[in-house]
């Protein structure tokens, strides 16, 4: 088990200018991330959930250094990376990303063996003569036959490609991997294989994982901690039990109930959350979720609730949080501990 | 595990056999034309020799493809023109392709370069193509050298625009981001990941441009701005033959065949290249 | 759920598919996308057709409305909508079918909506085609239709172009357009796959309510057994172009009678049921026709004869059918597999 945060984000904000360029009027400002504070412990798995457009991918890209934040710090092993023009190589390689779309994440003109070989050679991860052996070993680690090395990406299935993407990210021996919807586009049975691969890698290599997904089932299955985002803000953070009875934020609760489960007889008369996502360029004042919230009060429009500790290990940004019964929380915590961490 | 490292066993000659048929056929046809251009003039009669006693003779034993209005041998003139036209095709396509592709990649990856280049490009494409070339050659003075200068000034534009838009598409792909996340230098990303994925379109454009440039050369020759008479050139020959189309159709038809032959070869090469360069479309 | 149509004799069928075989021709070898597919949808019923990518869901759905890709050919079989035979209909017959009985909703409503026409104009067009001419009446009907599918500010929204709406609103508009002619059957191909879960939840609720209010039927194609559980009455599970199990949703999801259904259910991660590893189905679906059961090579319960003799869909208890030789022996086994997860 790790100790201390491997990654700490403080006050990370990012805005984009969107819409047509017009003379006289500035372009609309879109706050993709609004003061994100987040800690990731070494060796643990953090899940980031939320609907599309809430800023998950932007956060992922900032963590691995593909985008620079407008404000705030991104500290990896204590060193702030956010201001560096170019990240120190060790940090750049220590944080890797696995992308959502297995079809777009591999260069179509490159044999997959070469795609894995390239980082090994460029960064001299192993002596040149040993590189092909290392490539085969990496293919083996992700469950692919080394004989596939000479294939082009289009000659592989979606699941196989995602394995290649994982092998390529592993080639530079990262300590933290950010997986952005890495299993979302795959069929259930293949998705299961990829999720198992991630949990094996975490256990065998001691990797820290940040698992970005809109699928709460997947996140609950894989993660030690969960952060829920809504329109650029983290609105709740805690153990995976917040995706079940433990939710204090009305959005988390609604999101969790909206997930279809293969259990018959759950049909509700009303949708779990009504209304559309507000425009991200013009979010509601105060609490962003108030327009869709069943428990809104006048205060919600005036002040935006800070992300405050509500219990040990549990932060929530809501003026009027749900009441969750202590015994339900306790039961769920027990379930968290029972399964995911095999307490080595 | 690593014992099973199967590096596709390829016999040395096998890769030729695996090249697409059109590519091989087109290349052979072009090579034939090059051989004719190189060695043909040694065997053929003098293409400039006038014979006013034997003008407009039909194809026959003495003159296989007939003679023109000055009694010059049409076959000899076509052969002599081959090297002129092929050279013009090659040396117009090659530098404009390289220059246009390089500028297009720069424009697609650098915002400042893009702003500047796009304005220059707007300027170039604002004028009709032929008008611009003719204006430049007319300003610089007729002749083959100035013709090349005009080609350079104008020809890069179509490649640059094409490549720029392709780069913008490719840059959105996640493999470019993945390469950046793996800490590769920007030049590596450009050379190894962007360029191979944008090169197909300009290569195909180059094969069609090869013909287009030969036709431009011919047009300029016809206007008296390019190859200067009496030097033979296919376009010039067609122009001359046009007047005698009824009495001596061979004067225009056979140089036309020569142009058709080269075009066809170039199209075959383009077809074949597109197959080789796109492993994902097969 | 499903109580209204529990009894087979209650409601007459709206769609009958019988022994359907569809091939994609023109490739090096014909790709078979549907093999001996038979199922029935009754009036008022929501039928889920579920399967993994490439299992043939879209192909089957499109064959019902005559929208198959030109390479695809119905080799044999019968499709009857409200008693009318669909296979072999010409263009005029198909337009009649679409006008009278069937409407379709796609995964990406942008593909079904014209990008350069306002929402209102497109809905008006459908009404004109349906024979309505009075402008004011059409306006009122459009506002009504949009309000019925839950579009707020309908009078304002009709002036919007499709790209100005969110994905969820677009899907609502597409549903409104489909509903205008009061179809008896709606074919929906992954209508919520591109949407966020909260919006998916809303759209599924909408479809469910519309069905219950109007008595129309829905054929819902999806890859998500969760979606099936939410709104479907009955379900058909496709594997490699074949229906391997059909039946009442509650039964199929809690007591599956085919090992593939059970394996699919067991491989889904579920909130609140955390395991250190997920169950997975090894291997891949067969690409070519196999002599025996198509799932046999991946099946944990396969016997020798499963690889040689192909089982057909046969009753396995009340309102459930399975294409598995061992359906009776495996009953408890499979139910356990699903419940333990
Ligand atoms: N490069 C960009 N330019 C403009 N807007 C962007 C850009 N990247 C993301 N956005 C916007 O920022 C918001 C968050 O996007 P993203 O991080 O991709 O969300 P998610 O991954 O949760 O779907 C969205 O509204 C998106 O439109
Ligand atoms: N246009 C096509 N040409 C050839 N084969 C096709 C085409 N479309 C689909 N197929 C084949 O038909 C099968 C079923 O496809 P489809 O109906 O789209 O499946 P689903 O909707 O379940 O993903 C697939 O295995 C695919 O290979
Ligand atoms: Mg995203
Ligand atoms: Mg489909």
């Amino acid at each position: 088990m790790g100790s201390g945060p491997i990654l700490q984000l403080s006050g990370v904000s990012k805005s984009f200018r969107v819409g047509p360029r017009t003379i006289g009027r500035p372009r609309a400002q879109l706050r993709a991330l609004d003061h994100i504070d987040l800690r990731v412990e070494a060796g643990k798995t953090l899940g980031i959930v939320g609907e599309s457009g809430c800023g998950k991918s932007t956060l992922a890209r900032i963590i691995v250094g593909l985008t620079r934040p407008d404000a705030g710090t991104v500290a990896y092993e204590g060193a702030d990376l956010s201001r560096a023009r170019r990240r120190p190589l060790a940090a750049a390689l220590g944080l890797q990303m696995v992308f959502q779309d297995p079809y777009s994440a591999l260069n179509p003109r490159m044999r997959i063996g070469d795609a894995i070989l390239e980082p090994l050679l460029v960064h001299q991860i192993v002596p040149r003569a040993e590189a092909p052996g290392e490539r085969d070993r990496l293919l083996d680690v992700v469950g692919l036959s080394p004989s596939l090395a000479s294939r082009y990406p289009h000659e592989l299935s979606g699941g196989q490609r995602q394995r290649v993407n994982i092998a390529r990210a592993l080639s530079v021996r990262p300590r933290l991997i950010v997986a952005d919807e890495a299993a979302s586009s795959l069929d259930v049975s293949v998705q299961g294989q990829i999720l198992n691969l991630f949990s094996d890698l975490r256990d065998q290599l001691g990797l820290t994982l940040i698992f970005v997904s809109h699928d709460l089932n997947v996140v609950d299955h894989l993660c030690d901690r969960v952060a829920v985002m809504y329109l650029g803000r983290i609105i709740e953070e805690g153990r995976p039990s917040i995706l079940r009875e433990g939710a204090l934020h009305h959005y988390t609760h609604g999101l969790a109930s909206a997930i279809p489960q293969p259990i018959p007889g759950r049909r509700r008369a009303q949708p779990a959350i009504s209304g559309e996502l507000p425009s991200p360029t013009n979010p509601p004042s105060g609490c962003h979720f108030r327009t869709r919230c069943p428990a809104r009060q006048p205060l919600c429009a005036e002040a935006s609730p800070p992300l405050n500790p509500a219990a040990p290990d549990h932060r929530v940004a809501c003026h009027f949080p749900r009441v969750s019964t202590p015994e339900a929380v306790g039961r769920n915590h027990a379930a968290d501990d029972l399964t995911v961490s095999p307490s080595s | 595990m690593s014992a099973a490292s199967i590096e596709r066993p390829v016999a040395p000659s096998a890769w030729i056999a695996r090249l697409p048929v059109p590519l091989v056929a087109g290349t052979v046809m072009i090579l034939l034309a090059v051989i004719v251009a190189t060695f043909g003039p040694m065997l053929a009669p003098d293409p400039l020799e006038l014979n006013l006693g034997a003008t407009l003779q039909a194809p026959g034993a003495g003159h296989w493809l007939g003679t023109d209005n000055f009694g010059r041998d049409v076959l000899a003139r076509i052969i002599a023109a081959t090297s002129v036209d092929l050279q013009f095709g090659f040396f117009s396509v090659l530098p404009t392709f390289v220059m246009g592709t390089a500028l297009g990649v720069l424009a697609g990856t650098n915002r400042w370069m893009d702003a500047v280049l796009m304005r220059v490009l707007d300027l170039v494409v604002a004028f009709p193509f032929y008008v611009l070339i003719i204006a430049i050659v007319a300003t610089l003075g007729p002749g083959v050298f100035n013709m090349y200068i005009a080609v350079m000034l104008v020809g890069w534009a179509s490649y640059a625009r094409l490549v720029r838009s392709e780069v913008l598409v490719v840059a959105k792909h996640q493999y470019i981001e993945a390469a950046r996340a793996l800490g590769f230098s920007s030049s590596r990303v450009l050379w190894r990941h962007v360029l191979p994925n944008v090169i197909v379109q300009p290569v195909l454009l180059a094969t069609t441009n090869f013909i287009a440039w030969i036709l431009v050369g011919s047009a300029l020759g016809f206007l008296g701005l390019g190859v200067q008479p009496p030097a033979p050139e296919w376009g010039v020959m067609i122009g001359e033959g046009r007047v005698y189309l009824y009495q001596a159709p061979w004067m225009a038809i056979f140089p036309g065949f020569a142009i058709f032959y080269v075009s066809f070869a170039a199209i075959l090469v383009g077809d074949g290249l597109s197959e080789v360069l796109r492993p994902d479309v097969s | 759920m499903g109580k209204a149509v529990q009894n087979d004799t209650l409601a007459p069928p709206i769609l009958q598919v019988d022994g359907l075989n569809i091939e994609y021709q023109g490739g090096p070898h014909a790709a078979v996308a549907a093999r001996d597919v038979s199922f029935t949808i009754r009036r008022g019923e929501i039928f889920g057709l579920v399967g993994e990518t490439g299992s043939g869901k879209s192909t089957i759905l499109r064959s019902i409305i005559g929208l198959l890709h030109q390479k695809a050919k119905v080799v044999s079989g019968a499709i009857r909508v409200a008693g009318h035979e669909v296979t072999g209909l010409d263009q005029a017959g198909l337009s009649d079918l679409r006008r009278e009985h069937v409407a379709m909703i796609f995964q990406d409503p942008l593909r079904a909506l014209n990008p350069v026409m306002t929402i209102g104009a497109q809905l008006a067009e459908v009404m004109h085609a349906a024979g309505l001419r009075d402008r004011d009446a059409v306006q009122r009907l459009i506002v009504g239709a949009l309000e019925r599918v839950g579009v707020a500010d309908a009078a304002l929204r009709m002036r919007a172009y499709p790209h100005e709406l969110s994905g969820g609103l677009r899907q609502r508009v597409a549903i409104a357009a489909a509903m205008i002619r009061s179809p008896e059957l709606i074919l929906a191909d992954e209508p919520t796959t591109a949407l966020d879960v909260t919006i998916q939840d809303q759209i599924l609720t909408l479809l469910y309510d519309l069905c219950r209010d109007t008595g129309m039927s829905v054929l819902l194609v999806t890859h998500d057994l969760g979606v099936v559980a939410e709104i479907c009455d009955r379900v058909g599970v496709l594997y490699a172009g074949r229906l391997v199990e059909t039946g009442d949703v509650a039964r199929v999801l809690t007591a599956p009678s085919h090992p593939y259904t059970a394996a699919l259910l067991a491989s889904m991660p579920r909130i609140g049921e955390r395991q250190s590893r997920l169950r997975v189905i090894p291997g891949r679906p067969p690409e070519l026709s196999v002599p025996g059961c198509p799932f046999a090579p991946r099946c944990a319960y396969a016997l020798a004869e499963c690889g040689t003799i192909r089982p057909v869909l046969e009753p396995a208890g009340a309102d459930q059918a399975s294409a598995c030789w061992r359906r009776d022996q495996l009953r408890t086994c499979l139910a356990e597999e699903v419940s333990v997860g």
Side-chain angles (χ1 to χ4, degrees):
Chain A
M1 286 282 144
S3 55
I6 184 172
L7 185 77
Q8 177 139 25
L9 279 70
S10 316
V12 169
S13 297
K14 178 75 188 175
S15 297
F16 296 107
R17 297 216 157 273
V18 294
R21 289 166 208 273
T22 46
I23 299 172
R25 197 154 42 88
R27 295 172 78 200
Q29 178 113 346
L30 188 154
R31 279 222 116 160
L33 293 178
D34 191 359
H35 287 92
I36 301 292
D37 296 322
L38 207 56
R39 247 169 96 95
V40 187
E41 308 289 330
K44 297 281 186 171
T45 300
L46 169 73
I48 299 180
V49 300
E51 292 174 274
S52 62
C54 70
K56 304 184 297 294
S57 295
T58 306
L59 185 58
R61 293 164 47 86
I62 284 179
I63 291 171
V64 297
L66 287 169
T67 302
R68 281 209 289 165
D70 298 337
T73 59
V74 178
Y76 170 65
E77 304 199 304
D80 181 16
L81 302 175
S82 56
R83 298 275 81 83
R85 178 111 192 91
R86 213 185 144 84
R87 291 190 162 199
L89 195 63
L93 299 186
L95 298 160
Q96 283 299 308
M97 182 150 165
V98 175
F99 293 86
Q100 167 171 15
D101 181 2
Y103 291 87
S104 147
L106 288 170
N107 183 341
R109 302 293 154 79
M110 220 183 217
R111 296 178 196 279
I112 59 157
D114 296 339
I116 298 171
L117 212 47
E118 188 181 21
L120 292 175
L121 296 176
V122 169
H123 298 303
Q124 296 167 351
I125 307 287
V126 292
R128 178 166 277 275
E130 292 168 23
E134 175 72 3
R135 172 200 63 199
D136 293 349
R137 190 188 67 82
L138 285 163
L139 283 170
D140 194 58
V141 164
V142 297
L144 289 176
S145 156
S147 66
L148 294 179
S150 60
R151 297 263 187 103
Y152 283 102
H154 71 271
E155 296 170 312
L156 301 182
S157 70
Q160 287 174 318
R161 288 183 202 212
Q162 203 56 297
R163 289 174 193 270
V164 175
N165 286 323
I166 295 169
R168 182 180 56 187
L170 289 177
S171 68
V172 296
R173 312 209 166 143
R175 300 201 43 215
L176 185 156
I177 287 191
V178 183
D180 187 3
E181 308 268 12
S184 303
S185 63
L186 305 171
D187 271 317
V188 204
S189 60
V190 185
Q191 172 181 304
Q193 297 169 9
I194 297 295
L195 296 179
N196 282 346
L197 176 59
F198 272 115
S199 53
D200 290 347
L201 292 173
R202 177 188 55 195
D203 298 343
Q204 288 160 14
L205 308 177
L207 280 176
T208 309
L209 279 181
I210 297 183
F211 209 86
V212 175
S213 180
H214 66 268
D215 188 338
L216 271 60
N217 289 318
V218 166
V219 166
D220 182 46
H221 165 73
L222 204 63
C223 299
D224 304 305
R225 294 195 69 75
V226 181
V228 185
M229 292 184 68
Y230 190 77
L231 284 183
R233 294 178 180 166
I234 294 181
I235 53 101
E236 186 161 12
E237 200 241 345
R239 291 166 171 247
S241 55
I242 65 169
L243 302 179
R244 296 169 246 142
E245 274 82 87
L248 292 181
H249 202 287
H250 301 275
Y251 177 64
T252 311
H253 179 70
L255 192 63
S257 340
I259 304 283
Q261 302 286 347
I263 302 162
R266 282 176 77 245
R267 171 95 251 125
R268 297 166 309 273
Q270 292 295 315
I273 296 182
S274 58
E276 294 272 319
L277 204 66
S279 155
T281 50
N282 185 20
S285 64
C287 172
H288 287 346
F289 182 60
R290 67 177 165 82
T291 49
R292 301 168 81 189
C293 184
R296 62 179 167 264
Q297 305 279 333
L299 172 65
C300 302
E302 286 154 26
S304 71
L307 185 61
N308 278 340
D313 258 7
H314 192 167
R315 296 184 297 162
V316 65
C318 181
H319 293 305
F320 307 99
R322 295 176 69 244
V323 235
S324 80
T325 55
E327 55 273 29
V329 176
R331 196 171 61 235
N332 278 309
H333 280 187
D336 290 347
D337 295 336
L338 192 94
T339 44
V340 157
S341 32
S343 317
S344 49
Chain B
M1 269 189 58
S2 53
S5 172
I6 300 168
E7 303 285 37
R8 48 172 56 189
V10 176
S13 64
W15 65 270
I16 294 196
R18 260 189 301 176
L19 287 179
V21 176
L23 180 59
V24 177
T27 312
V28 168
M29 284 173 72
I30 300 253
L31 282 179
L32 276 179
V34 171
I35 291 171
V36 167
T38 323
F39 300 107
M42 298 176 197
L43 307 172
D46 183 354
L48 301 181
E49 188 186 273
L50 304 184
N51 183 350
L52 296 177
T55 58
L56 300 180
Q57 282 192 0
H63 301 281
W64 289 355
L65 299 185
T67 61
D68 68 3
N69 53 325
F70 294 113
R72 295 174 297 198
D73 186 77
V74 170
L75 178 59
R77 286 179 67 74
I78 288 180
I79 289 174
T82 306
S83 84
V84 177
D85 280 281
L86 286 184
Q87 273 180 37
F88 188 70
F90 277 123
F91 293 122
S92 306
V93 162
L94 215 58
T96 50
F97 167 77
V98 172
M99 201 162 85
T101 305
L103 290 174
V105 169
L106 280 178
T109 47
N110 182 308
R111 270 172 57 189
W112 287 107
M113 284 301 284
D114 192 29
V116 175
L117 266 169
M118 283 302 108
R119 295 298 84 75
V120 178
L121 213 113
D122 288 344
L123 207 68
V124 173
V125 298
F127 297 97
F129 178 75
Y130 272 99
V131 172
L132 195 57
I133 295 235
I134 290 168
I136 294 174
V137 180
T139 315
L140 297 174
V144 176
F145 183 73
N146 289 341
M147 199 163 83
Y148 277 119
I149 292 188
V151 167
M152 303 297 139
L153 287 177
V154 179
W156 62 275
S158 53
Y159 297 100
R161 196 155 50 161
L162 182 68
V163 170
R164 172 184 175 271
S165 63
E166 290 272 304
V167 167
L168 292 180
V169 172
V170 165
K172 290 209 180 71
H173 281 276
Q174 290 174 344
Y175 59 81
I176 302 297
E177 298 228 290
R180 285 176 54 209
L182 284 164
F184 297 158
S185 65
S186 15
S187 68
R188 168 169 282 272
V189 175
L190 216 57
W191 280 104
R192 296 272 302 169
H193 298 276
V194 176
L195 206 57
N197 288 290
V198 300
I199 204 70
V200 179
Q201 292 302 327
V203 165
L204 295 188
L205 181 64
T207 58
T208 51
N209 270 359
F210 182 68
I211 310 305
W213 284 122
I214 289 181
L215 295 179
V216 168
S218 298
L220 288 175
F222 179 66
L223 292 174
L225 292 171
V227 174
Q228 297 297 306
E233 198 280 334
W234 293 339
V236 176
M237 291 174 71
I238 293 175
E240 291 165 351
R242 207 176 47 121
V243 187
Y244 301 97
L245 211 51
Y246 290 107
Q247 300 110 293
W250 51 88
M251 272 182 71
I253 285 176
F254 289 117
F257 267 136
I259 291 182
F260 173 75
Y261 174 86
V262 176
S263 326
F264 190 61
I267 287 170
L268 286 178
V269 170
D271 259 15
L273 276 180
S274 69
E275 248 176 76
V276 174
L277 293 174
R278 280 194 194 156
D280 48 335
V281 191
S282 51
Chain C
M1 191 176 64
K3 298 296 164 271
V5 285
Q6 200 174 43
N7 192 331
D8 269 9
T9 54
L10 255 183
I14 178 72
L15 174 72
Q16 290 162 288
V17 174
D18 199 11
L20 185 65
N21 280 283
I22 303 174
E23 276 180 11
Y24 282 92
Q25 298 169 334
H29 37 74
V32 185
R35 308 173 213 236
D36 298 325
V37 171
S38 305
F39 62 98
T40 300
I41 303 183
R42 302 191 173 278
R43 288 190 188 266
E45 183 176 80
I46 306 183
F47 186 92
L49 194 57
V50 67
E52 295 179 78
T53 312
S55 57
K57 307 182 294 293
S58 301
T59 306
I60 292 170
L61 178 124
R62 286 169 163 272
S63 70
I64 295 165
I65 200 169
L67 278 180
L68 279 178
H69 190 272
Q70 55 196 14
K71 284 200 297 180
K73 192 164 176 297
V74 175
V75 182
S76 64
I79 302 171
R80 272 185 297 279
V81 175
H84 306 284
E85 180 59 51
V86 173
T87 52
L89 276 186
D90 56 4
Q91 277 310 319
L94 286 172
S95 340
D96 282 346
L97 176 79
R98 290 172 205 153
R99 190 160 45 236
E100 306 275 328
H101 306 289
V102 189
M104 184 151 173
I105 308 170
F106 297 90
Q107 171 173 343
D108 177 9
L110 265 191
R111 278 180 48 198
L113 297 172
N114 183 339
V116 296
M117 273 170 84
T118 62
I119 300 300
Q122 295 187 50
L123 292 176
E125 205 180 27
V126 183
M127 298 207 174
H128 284 303
L132 279 165
R133 290 282 178 268
D134 178 12
R135 273 199 73 196
D136 290 339
V138 166
Q139 291 290 309
R140 253 181 290 117
L141 281 173
I142 291 175
V143 172
L146 286 175
E147 275 168 356
R148 188 155 66 133
V149 296
V151 175
D153 305 327
L156 198 75
R157 296 281 195 194
M158 10 185 318
R159 270 176 256 139
Y161 289 91
H163 71 92
E164 295 170 323
L165 302 180
S166 69
L169 272 177
R170 268 183 229 137
Q171 200 57 287
R172 286 180 193 271
V173 170
I175 293 174
M179 293 297 296
I180 280 176
R181 290 199 181 114
S182 313
E184 292 160 278
L185 174 65
I186 285 200
L187 308 176
D189 193 352
E190 310 251 9
T192 58
T193 302
L195 305 175
D196 274 312
V197 281
T198 61
I199 309 298
Q200 159 168 291
D201 185 37
Q202 296 172 6
I203 297 289
L204 292 179
T205 306
L206 172 66
L207 268 180
Y208 183 85
D209 291 346
L210 287 174
C211 241
R212 291 299 172 254
D213 293 350
T214 63
M216 69 174 183
S217 313
V218 177
L219 172 55
L220 179 75
V221 156
T222 176
H223 65 275
D224 188 348
L225 280 168
V227 168
V228 169
E230 290 285 318
I231 69 165
C232 293
D233 303 304
R234 298 180 70 246
V235 61
V237 182
L238 268 181
Y239 182 77
R242 291 181 188 279
L243 272 180
V244 294
E245 174 158 13
T246 62
D248 177 70
V249 165
R251 292 191 57 81
V252 170
L253 295 187
T254 52
S257 61
H258 195 283
Y260 175 65
T261 318
L264 210 53
L265 281 164
S267 63
M268 294 179 72
R270 300 185 197 184
I271 282 194
E273 288 178 20
R274 295 153 60 87
Q275 320 121 39
S276 53
R277 288 182 68 81
L278 285 167
R279 302 271 306 263
V280 298
I281 311 175
R284 279 210 253 171
E287 268 157 35
L288 300 172
S289 191
V290 288
C293 168
F295 187 60
R298 308 171 71 189
C299 181
Y301 309 100
L303 301 176
E305 67 254 36
C306 293
T308 50
I309 313 167
R310 179 176 311 129
V312 292
L313 214 52
E314 280 179 69
D319 197 18
Q320 195 170 5
S322 159
C324 176
W325 293 125
R326 308 191 63 197
R327 58 183 170 273
D328 294 326
Q329 297 157 15
L330 296 177
R331 265 255 104 96
T332 40
C333 236
L334 297 181
E336 224 161 79
E337 189 176 332
V338 174
S339 68
V340 175

